[in-house]
Each structure stands twice: as structure tokens, then as C-alpha cells.
Amino acid sequence: MAVHILSSHTHPRLASPVDHQCYAGRHGYGYLFDVTPYPVASPYDQKLHAILRALDGMPDDDVLVWIDDDAYFMQLDRPLDEWFPAGVLAGRRWTPRSRTSARGGTSPCTGTSASSTATRSASCTRSTGSGSSTG
């Protein structure tokens, strides 16, 4: 099982991909930055296409974490494990019980826009074993 961080923008204009790559390398995560200009109706749909494309080529037990292209990892020493419920990055299946997490914010699968919690803006779509996905 591997953890991959994904971000995307068709016209990168910020230094955030460098931050993302440094963070991923420091913790042994893969990093993908998708610049493919998908034919989308809305710029927000770019994210969905990038996620689907990345998931298509990943083993079922890998974990994909989304971070917006304008968000930065502010605490480079803190691993993603600290932002997710116990076991999620260890490959255990996680299904949110409600739209509110135990930490009191929005569910990791619904995402947030604050840069300090951008790592929780996850694509919680991978599980282990069965090859099925959760949404």
C-alpha cells in the first residue's frame, strides 16, 4: 500500500507544487501534479477528472489524497496520519458516519478550503482487499 498526494491545475502559477513535492518526499508519499486540460464544463470539474485519472492507474489498496493547487503544507514535519481517522492511511477501510468528523470539522471526504486542513480534503475512495471503492 502506498500513499499518493495529488493536485492539479491547467496553468500552474504558484510555487505550491514544490511545497507539495517536498512534503511528499519527506514522508515517503508519491506526488502527482496533473496539468492535463480536460474538456470540462466548469474549472471545478478539473479536480474530478484528475482524481479519476489517478485512481484508474493505482492499485486498489493505495490511498490518494487531494490538495488544492493553491494550498500549502504549513507543517512539513507532521505526517498525513495526524489528519485522518486512525487506520485510514494504514489501508483500513473508512466510511464516514456523518458529514462531521470526530475533530468537529467537515468530513475528510467533503473537504475544506483552509490551507492548514487541506490535507483533509481527501479523496476517500480507496479501500483494501475487495477492490471496491467508497465515495
Side-chain angles (χ1 to χ4, degrees):
M1 187 219 49
V3 175
H4 306 275
I5 297 172
L6 172 65
S7 190
S8 176
H9 197 286
T10 55
H11 303 292
R13 63 197 184 289
L14 302 172
S16 55
V18 175
D19 171 77
H20 302 167
Q21 190 167 25
C22 289
Y23 180 83
R26 179 179 188 141
H27 296 283
Y29 308 137
Y31 178 63
L32 309 163
F33 191 84
D34 190 340
V35 295
T36 307
Y38 298 103
V40 295
S42 161
Y44 304 106
D45 293 340
Q46 176 75 20
K47 179 185 306 188
L48 299 175
H49 284 277
I51 290 169
L52 290 172
R53 182 175 181 186
L55 288 173
D56 190 42
M58 293 174 64
D60 285 342
D61 63 344
D62 281 8
V63 175
L64 182 64
V65 177
W66 174 267
I67 184 167
D68 283 341
D69 74 303
D70 60 350
Y72 291 80
F73 291 102
M74 302 304 290
Q75 296 174 319
L76 298 176
D77 59 323
R78 295 181 70 186
L80 291 174
D81 296 1
E82 294 183 23
W83 300 103
F84 289 94
V88 170
L89 296 183
R92 288 192 220 123
R93 184 180 208 135
W94 177 66
T95 304
R97 293 184 185 169
S98 70
R99 295 184 78 73
T100 304
S101 73
R103 300 180 198 277
T106 49
S107 162
C109 286
T110 59
T112 63
S113 60
S115 62
S116 64
T117 58
T119 55
R120 287 192 280 161
S121 182
S123 171
C124 300
T125 56
R126 289 293 177 186
S127 63
T128 59
S130 67
S132 64
S133 297
T134 61

